[in-house]
């Protein structure tokens, strides 16, 4: 019978996958009910409020989770300091929108959107407490409750003709309901022990995380904007579909894993040998499961995308292949930022992250007109080539894990996945005329069998090791 760790992981994934599934469902409904103009206006306003809120969350949530000896003053200082800063920021953004546009509709959308800033900032103080205590079931309930109520309200508004307001209101309702659920059910009680020194300590740990998150977000949004300016709206559409096909599974999988990993790593921040062992084994196990999923998606994309979305979306297939392989490579280093945060050395890779994001944007601007949507996908290769070596170096400096040891951890999955690609291409060479749906199913089956066979030859004890990981307290 699976123990406490397995149940924690299960509830982590319930939370993350529920977000993805509900988001996908509501997005397609809004796309049908709202025109491009209304949808674009709502998403623009939403990105401002949510974007600032997410940055403020990074300043406070993970630093609270990684604290070895957290006191009530830490939570009190984070809550009240975050609330004051977020309210001031929300007011400033709202005033700025009044001067930026004379459109009363946009101004009201911004007024609602900036509510995200205090709601997300204060709500994630409770999230940090639940993550520290390993109460991922409570987190899943809070997420599902907020998502379902928010989606119901938003879709009702959309059906009754409120247009752009439906999307903004849905998101704010989700954040508000989640906060209310946590405040009523959490054991955390916010007091009045605000200390500026404690608040400053949290910010000193959190600012590299916030800056890294802002650079990643700016790169994602910036590539689409640059493609629109250099290659046209059709290129943005193709790129957007490809990004969504990768981001949906990656957000659910990685979000769940990292949400669990930080408190687990932080509990061992002063026990370096155990942290090294935990990092390597967690990386090995994650690569074994996740890496072939993205490689498999790259293999079936040319046949699956036209079948699901129509021939007009066939140009998105090569982009999906590139982005999936980039995600597979990134999977081998997925825990490096989390481990650096756990030992308070997350500044080590920050310069490279900023340079990588800037280089990706420059590449898109230079090559967008010539390569079209493909430039957006290739920009992520540029980002990976710059950021990955820095992560390996950061791993050596912070955790004293040599590059050779990291390679020994991930090479089995890489070799097995390479054999998987070879077997699939050999099959497709002779049977490419099969119906695309049947061909896709066969590719998946051959890929799974080849991968498991090769991985078993390289790592004969993987079944017992995986069971030990799930059964360990």
């Amino acid at each position: 019978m699976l123990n406490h760790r397995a149940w924690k992981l299960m509830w982590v994934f319930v939370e993350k996958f529920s977000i993805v599934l509900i988001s996908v469902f509501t997005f397609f409904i809004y796309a049908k009910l709202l025109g491009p103009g209304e949808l674009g206006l709502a998403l623009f306003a939403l990105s401002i409020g949510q974007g600032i809120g997410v940055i403020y969350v990074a300043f406070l949530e993970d630093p609270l989770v990684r604290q070895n000896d957290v006191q009530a003053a830490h939570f009190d200082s984070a809550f009240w300091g975050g609330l004051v800063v977020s309210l001031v920021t929300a007011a400033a953004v709202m005033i700025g929108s009044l001067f930026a546009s004379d459109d009363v509709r946009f101004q009201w959308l911004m007024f609602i959107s900036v509510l995200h800033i205090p709601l997300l900032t204060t709500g994630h103080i409770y999230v940090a407490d639940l993550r520290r205590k390993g109460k991922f079931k409570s987190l899943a309930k809070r997420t599902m409750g907020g998502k379902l109520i928010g989606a119901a309200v938003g879709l009702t508004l959309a059906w009754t003709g409120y247009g752009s307001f439906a999307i903004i209101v849905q998101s704010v309702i989700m954040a508000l309901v989640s906060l209310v659920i946590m405040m009523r059910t959490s054991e955390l009680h916010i007091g009045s022990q605000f200390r500026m020194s404690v608040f400053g300590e949290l910010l000193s740990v959190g600012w590299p995380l916030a800056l890294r998150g802002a650079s990643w977000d700016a790169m994602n949004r910036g590539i689409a904007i640059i493609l629109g300016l250099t290659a046209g709206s059709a290129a943005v559409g193709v790129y957007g579909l490809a990004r969504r096909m990768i981001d949906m599974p990656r957000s659910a999988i990685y979000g769940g894993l990292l949400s669990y990993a930080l408190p687990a790593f932080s509990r061992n921040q002063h026990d370096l040998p155990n942290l090294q062992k935990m990092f390597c084994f967690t990386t090995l196990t994650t690569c074994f499961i996740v890496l072939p999923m993205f490689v498999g998606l790259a293999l079936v994309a040319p046949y699956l995308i036209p079948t699901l979305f129509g021939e007009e979306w066939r140009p998105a297939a090569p982009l999906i292949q590139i982005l999936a392989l980039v995600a597979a490579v990134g999977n081998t280093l997925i825990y490096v930022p989390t481990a650096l945060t756990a030992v308070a050395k997350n500044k080590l890779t920050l310069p490279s992250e900023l340079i990588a994001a800037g280089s990706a944007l420059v590449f898109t601007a230079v090559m967008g007109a010539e390569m079209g949507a493909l430039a957006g996908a290739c920009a992520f290769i540029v980002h990976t080539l710059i950021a990955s070596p820095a992560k390996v170096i950061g791993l050596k400096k912070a955790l004293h894990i040599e590059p050779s040891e990291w390679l020994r951890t991930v090479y089995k999955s890489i070799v097995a996945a390479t054999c998987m690609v070879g077997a699939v291409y050999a099959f497709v060479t002779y049977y490419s005329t099969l119906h695309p749906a049947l061909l896709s199913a066969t590719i998946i089956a051959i890929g799974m069998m080849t991968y498991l066979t090769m991985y078993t030859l390289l790592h004969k004890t993987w079944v017992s090791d995986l069971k030990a990981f799930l059964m360990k307290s």
Side-chain angles (χ1 to χ4, degrees), residues 370-424:
E370 181 179 345
M371 298 176 65
L374 192 61
C378 291
F380 281 86
I381 298 178
V382 174
H383 181 276
T384 300
L385 289 175
I386 296 173
S388 295
K391 289 181 180 179
V392 174
I393 295 171
L395 191 62
K396 179 180 179 179
K397 289 182 177 179
L399 268 66
H400 304 296
I401 295 176
E402 295 292 331
S404 57
E405 186 176 354
W406 165 73
L407 282 174
R408 283 195 298 271
T409 302
V410 302
Y411 89 92
K412 298 170 187 174
S413 294
I414 295 173
V415 171
T418 303
C419 294
M420 167 182 162
V421 172
V424 167

Side-chain angles (χ1 to χ4, degrees), residues 60-355:
L60 298 173
E61 181 184 347
D62 283 354
L64 280 172
V65 174
R66 69 158 295 277
Q67 279 288 332
N68 189 38
D69 183 25
V70 68
Q71 306 293 330
H74 286 90
F75 287 102
D76 293 356
S77 301
F79 183 90
W80 293 114
L83 179 61
V84 170
V85 173
S86 62
L87 287 174
V88 171
T89 304
V93 173
M94 187 60 234
I95 293 171
S97 68
L98 294 176
F99 289 100
S101 174
D102 295 328
D103 187 345
V104 176
R105 183 181 181 84
F106 175 73
Q107 292 171 355
W108 274 106
L109 287 172
M110 284 302 303
F111 176 77
I112 301 172
S113 180
V114 296
L115 296 176
H116 284 98
I117 303 175
L119 288 174
L120 291 175
T121 303
T122 55
H124 278 261
I125 305 302
Y126 290 92
V127 171
D129 180 58
L130 292 173
R131 286 176 62 192
R132 284 184 60 86
K133 295 174 179 176
K135 295 187 175 181
F136 295 100
K137 182 177 180 179
S138 298
L139 280 174
K141 288 180 177 179
R142 149 255 180 191
T143 300
M144 288 186 286
K147 282 287 182 181
L148 290 173
I149 295 174
V153 173
L155 292 176
T156 301
L157 290 174
W159 277 108
T160 52
Y162 283 90
S164 303
F165 288 94
I167 298 178
I168 306 291
V169 171
Q170 170 184 312
S171 185
V172 170
I173 291 292
M174 288 177 180
L176 177 61
V177 171
S178 296
L179 176 59
V180 171
I181 290 174
M182 288 187 293
M183 291 182 74
R184 291 183 61 88
T185 60
S186 175
E187 298 174 358
L188 176 65
H189 299 290
I190 301 297
S192 57
Q193 299 183 52
F194 176 79
R195 297 177 186 171
M196 194 63 198
S197 59
V198 174
F199 187 61
E201 175 191 343
L202 293 174
L203 295 182
S204 67
V205 176
W207 76 262
L209 301 173
L211 191 56
R212 180 182 291 113
S215 69
W216 177 258
D217 189 61
M219 184 183 74
N220 277 310
R221 299 176 193 276
I223 287 175
I225 293 171
I226 293 171
L227 282 178
L229 295 173
T230 59
S233 58
V236 177
V238 171
Y239 169 79
L241 177 67
R243 285 290 301 160
R244 183 167 290 273
M245 290 296 295
I246 302 301
D247 280 346
M248 285 190 297
R250 182 167 60 183
S251 297
I253 296 170
Y254 288 2
L257 292 171
L258 297 179
S259 180
Y260 177 81
L262 181 57
F265 286 178
S266 296
R267 285 192 292 270
N268 293 275
Q269 60 183 288
H270 299 301
D271 185 357
L272 188 59
N274 198 40
L275 180 57
Q276 291 172 334
K277 186 185 300 183
M278 179 179 290
F279 175 89
C280 290
F281 188 70
T282 307
T283 299
L284 183 148
T285 305
T286 303
C287 282
F288 164 66
I289 298 171
V290 179
L291 191 145
M293 293 172 58
F294 286 111
V295 175
L297 180 56
L299 292 172
V300 301
Y303 316 102
L304 192 61
I305 296 305
T307 303
L308 291 178
F309 299 101
E311 283 295 324
E312 67 271 22
W313 290 106
R314 184 178 290 276
L319 276 72
I320 293 172
Q321 290 181 302
I322 292 172
L323 293 172
L325 292 177
V326 168
V329 172
N331 178 69
T332 63
L333 293 163
I334 179 179
Y335 294 110
V336 173
T338 306
L340 296 183
T341 301
V343 296
K345 294 183 178 179
N346 47 349
K347 299 176 186 177
L348 286 174
T349 58
L350 182 58
S352 65
E353 291 284 349
L354 297 176
I355 294 171

